[in-house]
Amino acid sequence: MGQYRIPKAIPEFRKSYALVCADQSADTMVVFVHGFGGTPTSTWLDFHGLVKICSVNYPWWEKCDLFFYSYESLRTPIGVNAQTLGKFVDHILSKDATGSPRFPASSGESHARLIFVGHSEGAVMIRRLLIDRLNTIEKANAHKDDLVLKAAKADIVLSSQLRLFAPACMGTNLSSLLGFATSLSTLVSAIASSSLVRNELLPNSPILRPIESETENASAKFQGIPGFAAKVLFGDHDQVVYTASYKCDEIAYANGQDHFSICKPDFSYLRPLEFVS
Amino acid sequence: MTPDELNFQTENLAFFKSTFLDPGIARLEFDPMSSIPLPLRPTQTFIMNAVGLIESTLWLQLGTEIGFFDPESALLELILIEEGLIFAWRTLGETESLSRQSWCDFMSEGPTPSIVVRDKFLGPQKQARSFDNLNDPQTLEHVRQCFLGCLLLTSEVIFEPSMMMFLQKIGWDTDEKWKDLTLGYLMSSDFSLEGLYIAFANHLQYLEEIARFFTNHISPNPRVLNTDIMTLYHRVSKIISRRVIVDWGQAKERFFKLGSETLAIVYQPGPEWQQLRRSIFNQIAGIAEHDTRLHPRLWSEFMDNTREDIGRIKRERRFDPIEGSPFATE
């Protein structure tokens, strides 16, 4: 058995919370972002116990503090949610009133390494956040590439690694009610299929298209910034999203998994643990 | 006790306090109607807030029993909220809101309880399964991990305003009020009709998640059945039993009705929608009616209701002055 993690509420961001190493031995923060109609716990609960139980085979997780971000996914536009996600990351990396890091890493300071793990809509938000971050840095540095690159490399968000489960980056196939009918939360999904965000997630929507083009451009232009190229994992039974991604991504498929089970590890499906690490 | 263990318990309690106890007591204290004497007091979500606070202390009790919380600190927290707890318990009794029997055994007996019985809070639980192997470190660890999973799942719904509103209304509104609500007449800016449906879906999802979570943990290895995890499942089921709500009056019927209306809203002809209908029916039936012999009859009624709701929605759209007449050119 690995070391235990203690829960910490982050009430400034709805029902967000963290599971942090009790002995402050972590050097990496893993931020989990759920998808359309999901919640942090219902989406990621299976990670909690398994990273501990399977720590012998996956010791990398021992050095990670886990953060579970909560947001309203059905009615709040993706752009707004991406901005709030940015504030969340800034918050957990910030210092409290006494000047101490809110979530100290093994160094005693904030974490030096960040991994984003997104599912479905959550993946789209993460990518929007990265592009927003780059745009801010570009403006601040008068679009001078060498200065932008230097500043971007120093930014923990842009230097993060992306692990995306069934990302909705190329759009959802929400006309397929069948995709929902085979899921656990059929009722949530049925309601979601008529929500505002559903339109934002349609293929080639005015929300998705710029994220794709800007990410691909940024990835080509700033190859030294790791955050734009993601590792992507789809289930071969996914009927909810289009199982494609950006040119810069590395795509893999998991046999026998659908849109919802893809990010839920169990004793017979430990690939998600390996995929994130 | 090791410093690590003490740190573990202290941090766990801090988390619990901020996600369960503090919001629970705040919602009672800040209730604008709380100074009005019973039986006039209950407000829009008062009964569910009272249920939530009692439920929170039951989680505290169970967590203390398995060493997730330190007993002394837990007792101190209990003392701090005692007044609110008694108030909540008495309200549930006086409004005859729901059965209090065999739910919470540490409140004093009688129609107007005045104290929390501390020995009962810390002692063995009456009419409850007890844990057998908590001396085994691995079992203890597993039980605590599952307990944390349940707490996290519950923290997402307990005292969540739209959820509390939904549960209160589905359980205690009169038929007339309920009908007006589902037609959108009684909605306010902070509780939309869409919010009602989402809260309904989240409620069902929460109950399903709890069940799925235990299914995965009771026997991760098919050859080994973990009896203490089964015990935990029984204890958790008992704690959340009043939240399930379907035993109260007409709530069960309203569950099916809401499911039918949801289906009508997303109606599109074809096999996928038919499959969705079956799936949603199963989801509701799994929670609302444990006697599976009744399912065929309920399914038949559910199909009839769905047809009716689709017809109604089509008629409403046809004559909706805002949307125009989508069927006029057909």
Side-chain angles (χ1 to χ4, degrees):
Chain A
M1 284 285 209
Q3 65 161 301
Y4 64 79
R5 289 183 175 82
I6 48 180
K8 299 263 191 189
I10 311 176
E12 295 85 351
F13 295 86
R14 290 167 53 96
K15 304 280 183 180
S16 301
Y17 59 90
L19 293 174
V20 299
C21 296
D23 60 0
Q24 290 185 14
S25 61
D27 55 21
T28 301
M29 60 194 327
V30 184
V31 175
F32 291 85
V33 187
H34 67 79
F36 197 49
T39 66
T41 309
S42 62
T43 307
W44 308 113
L45 182 58
D46 303 287
F47 270 91
H48 296 177
L50 281 176
V51 294
K52 188 169 188 299
I53 294 166
C54 301
S55 62
V56 175
N57 294 328
Y58 301 96
W60 173 85
W61 284 96
E62 292 275 280
K63 295 283 183 188
C64 297
D65 285 337
L66 318 180
F67 294 82
F68 299 90
Y69 178 61
S70 166
Y71 68 100
E72 197 292 304
S73 62
L74 301 180
R75 289 171 291 181
T76 308
I78 287 168
V80 176
N81 272 332
Q83 280 191 1
T84 317
L85 173 62
K87 288 176 188 163
F88 173 75
V89 174
D90 290 341
H91 175 80
I92 57 182
L93 286 165
S94 68
K95 295 185 172 172
D96 62 20
T98 66
S100 307
R102 289 183 198 279
F103 296 95
S106 55
S107 61
E109 294 300 313
S110 299
H111 299 73
R113 191 172 172 227
L114 167 64
I115 296 179
F116 279 113
V117 180
H119 176 237
S120 196
E121 179 189 351
V124 181
M125 279 165 52
I126 293 166
R127 298 202 104 148
R128 181 70 259 169
L129 166 64
L130 263 71
I131 288 297
D132 288 347
R133 205 84 165 194
L134 179 67
N135 290 341
T136 305
I137 288 176
E138 282 188 318
K139 274 184 195 160
N141 290 280
H143 293 269
K144 291 180 180 165
D145 288 353
D146 53 338
L147 295 178
V148 171
L149 185 60
K150 193 177 170 192
K153 277 186 172 175
D155 183 84
I156 190 171
V157 171
L158 288 173
S159 302
S160 64
Q161 291 173 291
L162 268 56
R163 303 288 183 263
L164 308 180
F165 290 100
C169 296
M170 302 304 275
T172 49
N173 181 21
L174 291 186
S175 61
S176 169
L177 286 170
L178 184 63
F180 295 131
T182 53
S183 79
L184 179 73
S185 52
T186 45
L187 202 54
V188 173
S189 303
I191 292 163
S193 71
S194 61
S195 76
L196 175 147
V197 177
R198 181 245 190 200
N199 293 332
E200 296 196 336
L201 290 173
L202 290 175
N204 289 315
S205 78
I207 303 301
L208 292 188
R209 223 177 22 239
I211 301 177
E212 180 186 0
S213 59
E214 288 177 47
T215 301
E216 288 185 345
N217 289 342
S219 177
K221 189 172 174 185
F222 299 110
Q223 292 184 0
I225 304 175
F228 296 115
K231 280 192 175 178
V232 171
L233 186 64
F234 287 110
D236 62 355
H237 292 172
D238 196 320
Q239 302 197 43
V240 176
V241 295
Y242 287 97
T243 53
S245 200
Y246 302 165
K247 286 175 195 161
C248 49
D249 294 341
E250 186 184 318
I251 303 179
Y253 297 90
N255 291 333
Q257 304 302 324
D258 62 26
H259 185 72
F260 299 91
S261 67
I262 187 72
C263 59
K264 293 181 170 54
D266 61 32
F267 287 104
S268 60
Y269 172 60
L270 292 168
R271 190 163 175 186
L273 299 189
E274 195 182 311
F275 174 70
V276 173
S277 62
Chain B
M1 185 187 296
T2 65
D4 275 357
E5 179 80 352
L6 188 61
N7 181 44
F8 167 78
Q9 291 181 332
T10 305
E11 294 287 355
N12 288 340
L13 190 59
F15 175 79
F16 184 77
K17 194 168 145 47
S18 64
T19 49
F20 283 75
L21 296 181
D22 290 349
I25 206 73
R27 288 185 72 87
L28 276 187
E29 282 178 355
F30 295 140
D31 189 319
M33 303 288 283
S34 63
S35 58
I36 298 175
L38 288 171
L40 298 174
R41 185 181 296 125
T43 56
Q44 284 210 56
T45 57
F46 189 79
I47 294 170
M48 283 316 299
N49 286 336
V51 169
L53 187 63
I54 304 289
E55 190 187 304
S56 296
T57 52
L58 289 167
W59 285 110
L60 182 68
Q61 183 187 40
L62 179 57
T64 305
E65 189 179 339
I66 62 170
F68 193 82
F69 306 124
D70 163 51
E72 282 181 29
S73 309
L75 206 49
L76 188 63
E77 291 299 332
L78 191 71
I79 291 166
L80 290 173
I81 63 165
E82 190 169 26
E83 202 179 323
L85 200 57
I86 291 167
F87 184 58
W89 186 248
R90 205 175 59 219
T91 302
L92 293 183
E94 289 179 14
T95 55
E96 296 179 349
S97 303
L98 42 71
S99 162
R100 298 182 304 170
Q101 276 189 343
S102 74
W103 184 37
C104 176
D105 62 4
F106 54 81
M107 302 302 293
S108 62
E109 303 288 339
T112 54
S114 55
I115 56 163
V116 176
V117 184
R118 292 174 177 78
D119 290 346
K120 284 189 181 176
F121 179 81
L122 293 177
Q125 307 309 304
K126 267 196 309 186
Q127 300 172 336
R129 286 194 189 203
S130 56
F131 297 96
D132 299 325
N133 300 308
L134 292 187
N135 288 331
D136 170 44
Q138 218 166 345
T139 304
L140 179 66
E141 173 60 37
H142 194 186
V143 168
R144 285 176 173 179
Q145 188 68 45
C146 286
F147 177 78
L148 174 61
C150 293
L151 271 193
L152 291 171
L153 280 170
T154 306
S155 73
E156 290 179 345
V157 292
I158 197 165
F159 303 122
E160 203 283 310
S162 66
M163 187 70 83
M164 303 304 261
M165 184 85 87
F166 161 72
L167 290 175
Q168 177 97 21
K169 288 187 175 301
I170 201 167
W172 288 278
D173 261 4
T174 61
D175 278 343
E176 204 172 38
K177 270 192 173 177
W178 176 254
K179 195 179 170 196
D180 285 350
L181 186 79
T182 54
L183 289 173
Y185 299 153
L186 297 180
M187 290 296 166
S188 58
S189 56
D190 58 346
F191 190 64
S192 65
L193 194 53
E194 189 185 21
L196 176 81
Y197 285 108
I198 290 174
F200 169 54
N202 285 340
H203 177 61
L204 290 185
Q205 180 167 263
Y206 164 71
L207 297 173
E208 265 194 350
E209 282 288 349
I210 289 276
R212 187 185 77 90
F213 180 60
F214 277 104
T215 304
N216 288 349
H217 279 80
I218 284 173
S219 184
N221 176 345
R223 287 166 298 179
V224 184
L225 194 67
N226 192 325
T227 53
D228 275 351
I229 298 296
M230 281 188 74
T231 300
L232 184 69
Y233 177 58
H234 282 278
R235 298 287 292 276
V236 166
S237 300
K238 191 176 164 191
I239 290 175
I240 65 173
S241 59
R242 299 312 186 267
R243 163 181 299 276
V244 175
I245 221 95
V246 290
D247 292 336
W248 181 249
Q250 62 287 66
K252 188 185 294 189
E253 197 180 306
R254 292 173 181 177
F255 265 56
F256 282 106
K257 185 71 182 142
L258 273 182
S260 161
E261 285 176 6
T262 308
L263 276 161
I265 291 166
V266 299
Y267 172 70
Q268 53 179 256
E272 291 183 353
W273 183 84
Q274 298 291 353
Q275 190 171 333
L276 182 71
R277 176 161 66 168
R278 186 83 223 186
S279 178
I280 285 180
F281 171 80
N282 287 341
Q283 193 177 15
I284 298 171
I287 284 153
E289 184 51 72
H290 295 300
D291 186 349
T292 51
R293 289 169 305 180
L294 297 175
H295 284 194
R297 182 176 62 76
L298 288 169
W299 170 239
S300 169
E301 287 171 8
F302 190 70
M303 285 201 293
D304 290 344
N305 279 339
T306 312
R307 267 185 227 115
E308 228 171 76
D309 287 331
I310 291 170
R312 179 174 54 77
I313 284 175
K314 277 186 176 175
R315 282 195 301 278
E316 282 171 6
R317 281 185 189 159
R318 193 191 300 268
F319 296 112
D320 190 330
I322 299 170
E323 289 197 4
S325 302
F327 302 106
T329 54
E330 284 179 1

